[in-house]
Amino acid sequence: GAIEEALRRSNVNLSKPLEDTLPSWGPADLHLLIANFLRVRFPILLGLNKVDLDAAHVTRIQARYPHEPMVAIVAEAEWGLCQLRRAGKATYATNGTSFTFAPDIEAGIKAKESKLLHAMQAVAKCNAQLGMSPLTSTGVAAAINSAVALAQPLLVYPVSDLTTCLSVPMTGSSHGAVLEHCLLMKPGSSVHDVYTVLKKPPFQVLSGDYVRGECLDRSKSPVATHPLRKTDPLTASTAVVKVMTNRKSRWQQHH
């Protein structure tokens, strides 16, 4: 977990009991642990914007913070392309390295083409300098993806049956496909947190109060069904879960 990782980054020997280590700590050791915990719990990515206007700040910030993850972006270009796409005046895939304007596009908008292409080229050059793939479009999606990667979400698969692994239906149907739906949960989330997500909008696929939860425990050989305590943190090995309540939802009435 985050605490263990913070202790590791603080060069604490985890093979020894903490009660043997703590008496020798001073204020600097405590401050280092707190700083490392905050970095683990709330990782930071630097988004270096407006590199199409002047990229000098990329080199300057890279030199000052050599160990910080950073991505060059041109947010205005991403916003403009998304606006044009929404209006049906451009074809653009998010994080795509190209775009096309509609044939009947106004001359004033057509004139922005070279500026948008320049923005993408500037982002590609700067991100190559930062050690990233140059295929990063305007950099915005790449920045979001890189930020999420710093704190990987827990992938949870809510199912209606642990034998068939049919997903809890999310679209109004009476049943889902095998492991069809995946929830992105915070690390350390419990089965009760999954219940809360499934009961509230936008899903609203569970009714009633929480009763109990079960999972497929993939750390066992062979894989086995395992009961979950309400507050037990889920892991990658226990992320296929079934949540039971005291009231059937509409889709459950067909089972």
Side-chain angles (χ1 to χ4, degrees), residues 22-97:
L22 289 176
S24 64
W25 280 26
D29 300 297
L30 181 60
H31 291 160
L32 177 62
L33 176 62
I34 293 172
N36 282 325
F37 176 79
L38 291 174
R39 295 306 301 270
V40 172
R41 185 68 179 85
F42 306 105
I44 296 173
L45 178 127
L46 303 179
L48 310 183
N49 196 18
K50 299 184 178 181
V51 297
D52 56 329
L53 302 180
D54 183 0
H57 63 297
V58 174
T59 302
R60 185 174 67 254
I61 294 174
Q62 187 181 23
R64 185 170 181 179
Y65 304 104
H67 303 296
E68 298 292 344
M70 56 189 73
V71 179
I73 64 175
V74 179
E76 183 180 23
E78 180 72 19
W79 179 84
L81 285 167
C82 289
Q83 290 289 93
L84 291 170
R85 181 178 60 191
R86 190 176 296 114
K89 297 181 179 181
T91 300
Y92 168 66
T94 300
N95 207 30
T97 55

Side-chain angles (χ1 to χ4, degrees), residues 3 6 18 23 46-47 54 56 74 77 102 105 109 128 147 149 154 166 174 183 191 195 201-202 205 231:
I3 295 176
L18 277 179
L46 303 179
D54 183 0
V74 179
I105 197 75
I109 297 177
L154 176 67
L166 291 177
S174 59
L183 302 177
V191 66
Y195 156 77
V205 293
T231 57

Side-chain angles (χ1 to χ4, degrees), residues 5-216:
E5 178 61 19
L7 289 167
R8 185 188 66 79
R9 293 189 184 190
S10 302
N11 298 318
V12 175
N13 187 348
L14 297 178
S15 64
K16 295 182 178 180
L18 277 179
E19 54 266 29
D20 295 342
T21 306
L22 289 176
S24 64
W25 280 26
D29 300 297
L30 181 60
H31 291 160
L32 177 62
L33 176 62
I34 293 172
N36 282 325
F37 176 79
L38 291 174
R39 295 306 301 270
V40 172
R41 185 68 179 85
F42 306 105
I44 296 173
L45 178 127
L46 303 179
L48 310 183
N49 196 18
K50 299 184 178 181
V51 297
D52 56 329
L53 302 180
D54 183 0
H57 63 297
V58 174
T59 302
R60 185 174 67 254
I61 294 174
Q62 187 181 23
R64 185 170 181 179
Y65 304 104
H67 303 296
E68 298 292 344
M70 56 189 73
V71 179
I73 64 175
V74 179
E76 183 180 23
E78 180 72 19
W79 179 84
L81 285 167
C82 289
Q83 290 289 93
L84 291 170
R85 181 178 60 191
R86 190 176 296 114
K89 297 181 179 181
T91 300
Y92 168 66
T94 300
N95 207 30
T97 55
S98 63
F99 59 90
T100 56
F101 287 144
D104 58 345
I105 197 75
E106 297 93 329
I109 297 177
K110 179 68 174 176
K112 297 179 180 180
E113 183 175 18
S114 60
K115 182 180 179 181
L116 292 169
L117 288 172
H118 169 69
M120 287 187 171
Q121 292 164 0
V123 168
K125 181 179 179 180
C126 290
N127 281 329
Q129 175 184 328
L130 295 171
M132 296 184 60
S133 166
L135 304 178
T136 48
S137 185
T138 65
V140 173
I144 294 172
N145 291 338
S146 298
V148 172
L150 293 176
Q152 292 282 357
L154 176 67
L155 307 182
V156 176
Y157 298 85
V159 299
S160 59
D161 189 298
L162 288 172
T163 302
T164 63
C165 288
L166 291 177
S167 282
V168 171
M170 303 284 192
T171 57
S173 61
S174 59
H175 60 83
V178 174
L179 300 179
E180 181 180 10
H181 301 294
C182 177
L183 302 177
L184 303 184
M185 304 290 293
K186 293 179 180 179
S189 295
S190 67
V191 66
H192 190 267
D193 294 324
V194 176
Y195 156 77
T196 302
V197 168
L198 293 177
K199 186 175 181 180
K200 293 182 177 181
F203 301 116
Q204 295 180 292
V205 293
L206 291 181
S207 301
D209 298 323
Y210 176 87
V211 175
R212 63 191 175 97
E214 296 178 350
C215 74
L216 283 183

